[in-house]
Amino acid sequence: RLTSNSTEEAVSKIMNRLTGAYSCVVMTATKLIAFRDPMGFRPLCLGKTEDGAYVVASESCALETIGAHFIRDIRPGEILTISISGIKSDTSHCVEKPCGLCVFEYIYFARPDSVIEGASVQHARMKAGEFLAKESPVDADIVIGVPDSGLDAALGYSKASGIPYGVGFIKNKYIGRSFIQPSQDMREDAVRIKLNVIRENIKDKRVIMIDDSIVRGTTCARIVSLLREAGAKEVHMRVSSPPFKFPCYFGTDVDSRDHLIACKYNTVEEIAQVIGADSLAYLSVEATHHLAENTGMGFCDGCFTGKYPVEVPKEQPKDKFETKLNQFSAYYQVLD
């Protein structure tokens, strides 16, 4: 039980007990309080509307949609209180160099028009593609990206390699995320409905396909199959992140090691064979740390390396992903 003289004091006390990722906004009748974990796992930023109202959002792109302008990122460990008296900042929980910013924010999570800790997400993804082209070159006729987070990386790969960039897929914007479907067959069907191949751009060509990640491998295998059906002569897959080999404890639904394709097979060549690609290459862990330089922060790459900036549970519940799928399935059945 906590006894405090103010909401800010209560937040400060609870932060002494919390470990892990959190970016929070608490509202009272007279105050808005925003606070972020000391490692800075997830982004949080402050903006201001034209009429002088302060707003807080997880990404800077959200500010623009309501006509607000970006002021600054809320510091890891900072407690920011906004009231009629103005803005008050408590930095007593801030550490000298936060080291937990999730690098996957730049690779996948954040919208490309966001800026996190002073670094453009779109530029970071293009850098990922450029690094991929240097680390894993291959002769081809066209570079395409898997919508949406693979598109900027594909542009970067094309720029660095000199291989023409093209549009390989059109995304059906009326279809939701395929991962929430309750069965594998339904997830594969959703991929087919969600992505249409532009056959004229693919037929008889050697294709480099860029995507942000491979988790289980079933979805990307289906996408490779779509390119084969469209007449691709070769399909070379390049991934703008390293292999997922470890679970995430900080808000990402990276499954237990039992279901991760990079843990099931010993070599990248084996994974390429499973997904049906002529070749496969991942971005190096080292390169991910150069995607967004000059942020003043270190990155969490625990899902790639197994090294986390804070202590994590010794055991991870298995089939966490299936449990969520079952919950979604039950939810949809209730709606029906």
Side-chain angles (χ1 to χ4, degrees), residues 1-18 22 79 90 92-93:
R1 181 180 170 186
L2 295 174
T3 302
S4 305
N5 296 318
S6 66
T7 308
E8 303 97 296
E9 184 181 330
V11 169
S12 181
K13 286 181 178 180
I14 201 64
M15 285 178 71
N16 291 327
R17 300 189 179 191
L18 295 176
Y22 53 89
I79 303 172
D90 177 357
S92 60
H93 294 276

Side-chain angles (χ1 to χ4, degrees), residues 282-309:
Y282 294 88
L283 188 67
S284 68
V285 174
E286 181 184 7
T288 64
H289 289 259
H290 297 287
L291 298 183
E293 297 178 299
N294 302 319
T295 63
M297 294 182 63
F299 294 105
C300 176
D301 60 11
C303 53
F304 308 134
T305 64
K307 299 176 182 177
Y308 305 97

Side-chain angles (χ1 to χ4, degrees), residues 255-261 263-264 318-319:
D255 217 331
S256 68
R257 289 172 59 87
D258 291 352
H259 301 304
L260 298 175
I261 194 170
C263 297
K264 284 186 176 181
K318 293 184 179 180
D319 299 325

Side-chain angles (χ1 to χ4, degrees), residues 176-177 231 245:
R177 293 187 175 186
K245 293 185 176 180

Side-chain angles (χ1 to χ4, degrees), residues 121-143:
V121 173
Q122 187 202 30
H123 288 177
R125 290 177 186 170
M126 289 186 68
K127 266 191 177 183
E130 292 172 10
F131 284 131
L132 266 175
K134 294 173 183 177
E135 293 179 347
S136 306
V138 62
D139 290 331
D141 303 307
I142 187 173
V143 180

Side-chain angles (χ1 to χ4, degrees), residues 212-227:
D212 60 81
S213 61
I214 304 178
V215 182
R216 295 184 173 209
T218 50
T219 298
C220 67
R222 189 75 197 104
I223 296 174
V224 170
S225 177
L226 291 176
L227 293 175

